[in-house]
Amino acid sequence: MIRSPLNSNLARVILREIPENLRLVTWMNVLSAVTTAMLLWLVQAATVATQQDGQPGVRLVLMYVVTITLFGISHNVTLITASHDAERLIHGFRLRLFDAVRRSDLVTVEKIGRAALNGVLVQDTQALGSILPLLVIGVQQAVMLLFLAFYLTWLSPVASIMAFGFAGLAVAVRYARMHGFRKQLQENAAAEAAVFDGLTDLLRGFKEVRMSRGRADALVDAIGRASARACRVNIATKTQWGRNFSLIEVMFYTLIGLMVFAVPLLTTDFHNVVVPATTAALFIVGPVSTVSFVTPMLTQAEMALANIEGMEGRLREAAARSGQAAPAAADAGGRSFADPVRIALSGAAFAYRDDSGNPLFGVGPLEAEFRAGEISFITGGNGSGKSTMLRLLTGLMPLDTGALLVDGAPVPAGRMQEWRDNISAIFTDYHLSRRLYGVGDVTDEQVAPLLERLEMRDKVRIIDGRFSTTSLSTGQRKRLALVVARLEDKKVIVLDEWAADQDPHFRRIFYEELLPELRALGKIVICVTHDDRWFHLADRAYHMNEGRLERVAHRPLPGPPPDAGEAA
């Protein structure tokens, strides 16, 4: 059974999101259909007038000019309005998806993956934006066919029944064949996603790929297999499209043959209207072809819409679980997080889980405290849980049990963003944007002292609120990240292995000058480090081991740390 667009989820979304111009588009569609039928009648009238008088007459010519002008205007208005509305619809979807991503929790975003998010945010929205105007054209052509059906019925009921019966069969055949493409289109998307994942591994892991011929060969071979699979699936899809297109063309030419050869056998007076009836049949070929082409796109549009709404729902559900479904206002009696003096984890625990909910790796229960005007070091081996602990402390991931305390009061889930707004964090996988988002309008002159302090003035300038370049070493990009953190001037600063990518000279500056400066400013400084040579500079230290955190009683090292020239 062919499902009407009017009964589809797509129609519901259109009526909900962009109802403003539906009346205009509807009347323009009707006008386009009426003018098409009028053009056919004028062609018939001009043919008769030419046979009788030798010329069509000025009145018919003027009527034809006016009619075709109205047809062009109605057609143009419909297409332009549909295109504008489609883009507004996509823009609304994207804004909601962007907002849903920013309110979701880190676990959900990482589980969904970059490829899936990119597919919805870019590919599905683009597909929906491209298909919607075509669907409007399909509706326009369907209305036109309705008026042509009335006209052809007036000329010859037998010809009308045969023509539209055959045309309906053509549309049904094409839709039935294309409706089965849903699974194939899903395979297309999966194959292209596999290629995208492989390409991401190749580009982001370029250094590692170049370091191992075996790794490079295996990766390129995997990408090649994914590309070959995408190639096979796409070829099968395009082959089916070609076959369907050829079949429809053959059916249309068969229709014209039926008008000329079969209909006269079924009626005695068809010879009187054979020319206008055949002309009308030729006129319906274009609209039927368009409708048969557009109708299967409903499946693609519904798939894209289902992906978009499914992704938005998944992100919103994650946001609701973490209390971030909407911007949270501070409770009337709620404590402000603007100037925390002491933050702590109390009985905090979290476990990563598989899709079945089984725990894979967990941390906790964690007990730790960090104070303003102090430097706290956190140590631990790779995989011990340090990064997870920082994510819990900064509210990026929800606690399974326990509490995050600010000045002794637990932070409610609904106010977690309010808490995060007081933290500047530079994680090991920190992303540095060229534009200085969220720090207001800053000039090169204002940032110059910070760039000088971090020995970056000779490499970077601030131009129109942007870094002039971010094509720098990892250590230099982290210095720029610290520039951003200083401009934000938040009370809590988290530095995850920040010094690991610095040269020995600047590592000494970091520990002996920059960290004490932050402490002197009254910041809560939390630093993940392996540089035991500077442990004596910390006010307190914790060690992470297999998901457990313990306080370390450290003593100042005798004498100054090693020379800056000695490599770590």
Side-chain angles (χ1 to χ4, degrees):
M1 178 179 178
I2 299 178
R3 182 174 57 177
S4 168
L6 297 177
N7 297 324
S8 69
N9 185 41
L10 185 62
R12 175 185 59 80
V13 170
I14 291 174
L15 289 171
R16 184 189 70 204
E17 300 287 341
I18 47 174
E20 300 89 352
N21 295 317
L22 289 179
R23 182 174 298 179
L24 172 63
V25 171
T26 300
W27 283 113
M28 288 297 103
N29 280 341
V30 172
L31 179 59
S32 178
V34 170
T35 52
T36 300
M38 189 68 180
L39 287 173
L40 270 173
W41 179 82
L42 288 170
V43 168
Q44 179 192 7
T47 302
V48 173
T50 301
Q51 292 174 344
Q52 294 177 350
D53 305 328
Q55 58 182 9
V58 176
R59 183 175 64 88
L60 290 177
V61 172
L62 290 177
M63 289 179 63
Y64 192 88
V65 170
V66 171
T67 304
I68 202 168
T69 301
L70 290 175
F71 172 81
I73 291 173
S74 62
H75 204 64
N76 191 50
V77 169
T78 298
L79 294 181
I80 291 176
T81 303
S83 298
H84 289 185
D85 285 349
E87 290 307 315
R88 288 196 299 113
L89 177 66
I90 298 309
H91 176 62
F93 271 129
R94 283 177 174 166
L95 289 182
R96 291 205 301 273
L97 284 168
F98 296 154
D99 185 69
V101 170
R102 68 182 286 261
R103 297 192 187 285
S104 183
D105 64 81
L106 184 62
V107 177
T108 300
V109 171
E110 289 183 339
K111 186 175 290 186
I112 292 174
R114 181 182 288 110
L117 283 169
N118 179 77
V120 170
L121 287 166
V122 179
Q123 296 172 359
D124 285 324
T125 53
Q126 285 180 344
L128 193 58
S130 300
I131 291 172
L132 283 178
L134 296 178
L135 293 180
V136 173
I137 294 174
V139 172
Q140 182 189 60
Q141 299 293 293
V143 175
M144 187 182 299
L145 284 173
L146 181 63
F147 279 79
L148 288 174
F150 289 137
Y151 177 75
L152 190 55
T153 301
W154 175 65
L155 289 175
S156 172
V158 174
S160 179
I161 292 172
M162 183 169 291
F164 280 92
F166 200 80
L169 177 63
V171 174
V173 168
R174 182 179 177 88
Y175 183 84
R177 293 172 68 91
M178 295 303 300
H179 190 65
F181 271 15
R182 187 182 186 95
K183 183 177 180 180
Q184 197 159 3
L185 291 172
Q186 291 174 335
E187 291 179 359
N188 282 8
E192 294 295 342
V195 175
F196 177 82
D197 284 342
L199 183 60
T200 299
D201 287 338
L202 177 62
L203 297 179
R204 290 187 176 274
F206 184 77
K207 296 188 296 296
E208 292 77 11
V209 170
R210 292 294 289 160
M211 289 299 297
S212 170
R213 179 179 298 179
R215 179 183 298 164
D217 290 345
L219 176 57
V220 172
D221 181 62
I223 300 175
R225 289 197 303 272
S227 180
R229 177 170 171 261
C231 178
R232 289 194 299 271
V233 174
N234 287 329
I235 286 175
T237 302
K238 289 177 172 59
T239 300
Q240 192 62 40
W241 273 94
R243 289 172 179 168
N244 291 341
F245 183 80
S246 300
L247 175 63
I248 297 300
E249 290 292 300
V250 170
M251 293 180 75
F252 286 148
Y253 285 122
T254 303
L255 171 60
I256 302 302
L258 289 174
M259 290 292 101
V260 176
F261 300 110
V263 174
L265 301 177
L266 303 176
T267 179
T268 58
D269 59 347
F270 185 69
H271 63 280
N272 295 324
V273 292
V274 61
V275 173
T278 304
T279 304
L282 288 172
F283 260 68
I284 72 172
V285 167
V288 169
S289 179
T290 301
V291 171
S292 66
F293 174 78
V294 168
T295 303
M297 288 186 176
L298 281 171
T299 301
Q300 293 176 266
E302 292 281 2
M303 283 178 56
L305 182 61
N307 291 338
I308 292 170
E309 292 192 319
M311 182 65 72
E312 183 179 0
R314 187 174 178 184
L315 293 170
R316 295 291 183 195
E317 182 182 349
R321 286 197 305 268
S322 61
Q324 291 297 314
D331 301 332
R335 181 175 301 184
S336 172
F337 302 135
D339 192 25
V341 175
R342 179 172 59 90
I343 60 177
L345 291 171
S346 177
F350 173 83
Y352 293 96
R353 302 179 183 276
D354 60 20
D355 293 335
S356 301
N358 301 313
L360 301 175
F361 170 76
V363 298
L366 305 176
E367 302 287 340
E369 183 178 273
F370 309 94
R371 292 180 175 271
E374 288 187 355
I375 299 172
S376 298
F377 281 177
I378 299 173
T379 63
N382 293 334
S384 61
K386 301 188 302 298
S387 295
T388 300
M389 189 274 291
L390 291 182
R391 292 175 175 184
L392 297 176
L393 185 67
T394 54
L396 285 174
M397 298 194 310
L399 293 169
D400 289 341
T401 58
L404 169 61
L405 306 176
V406 177
D407 294 332
V411 180
R415 297 183 64 192
M416 198 60 72
Q417 183 58 57
E418 186 182 344
W419 161 238
R420 284 193 293 266
D421 289 339
N422 297 281
I423 304 171
S424 291
I426 305 176
F427 298 104
T428 53
D429 54 354
Y430 179 85
H431 173 73
L432 179 68
S433 301
R434 284 192 64 185
R435 180 171 291 280
L436 281 72
Y437 296 108
V439 298
D441 297 326
V442 295
T443 65
D444 187 60
E445 292 74 18
Q446 291 172 315
V447 183
L450 278 174
L451 292 173
E452 287 283 0
R453 187 74 184 82
L454 294 170
E455 301 182 3
M456 294 295 294
R457 183 62 178 167
D458 59 334
K459 296 178 175 63
V460 179
R461 292 286 189 274
I462 303 299
I463 302 174
D464 296 329
R466 299 169 178 260
F467 290 121
S468 57
T469 182
T470 55
S471 298
L472 304 163
S473 68
T474 302
Q476 289 170 337
R477 286 198 300 273
K478 282 195 172 182
R479 294 189 206 179
L480 293 187
L482 191 56
V483 169
V484 176
R486 291 296 300 271
L487 290 172
E488 290 177 330
D489 194 25
K490 296 180 179 181
K491 188 61 179 285
V492 183
I493 183 164
V494 175
L495 304 166
D496 190 1
E497 296 283 6
W498 189 93
D501 300 299
Q502 307 300 324
D503 58 64
H505 161 69
F506 204 82
R507 195 175 300 165
R508 176 189 287 275
I509 292 176
F510 171 71
Y511 285 108
E512 297 185 2
E513 299 180 21
L514 298 180
L515 289 185
E517 287 174 8
L518 292 170
R519 175 171 55 192
L521 291 171
K523 308 289 187 184
I524 300 176
V525 184
I526 303 169
C527 183
V528 174
T529 180
H530 292 293
D531 287 326
D532 55 3
R533 293 177 298 168
W534 282 281
F535 278 7
H536 65 289
L537 297 176
D539 297 289
R540 67 181 65 216
Y542 294 94
H543 182 73
M544 198 85 181
N545 183 37
E546 295 184 356
R548 300 291 187 271
L549 191 66
E550 61 182 15
R551 179 80 182 268
V552 178
H554 63 287
R555 297 186 302 275
L557 295 177
D563 236 21
E566 295 182 19

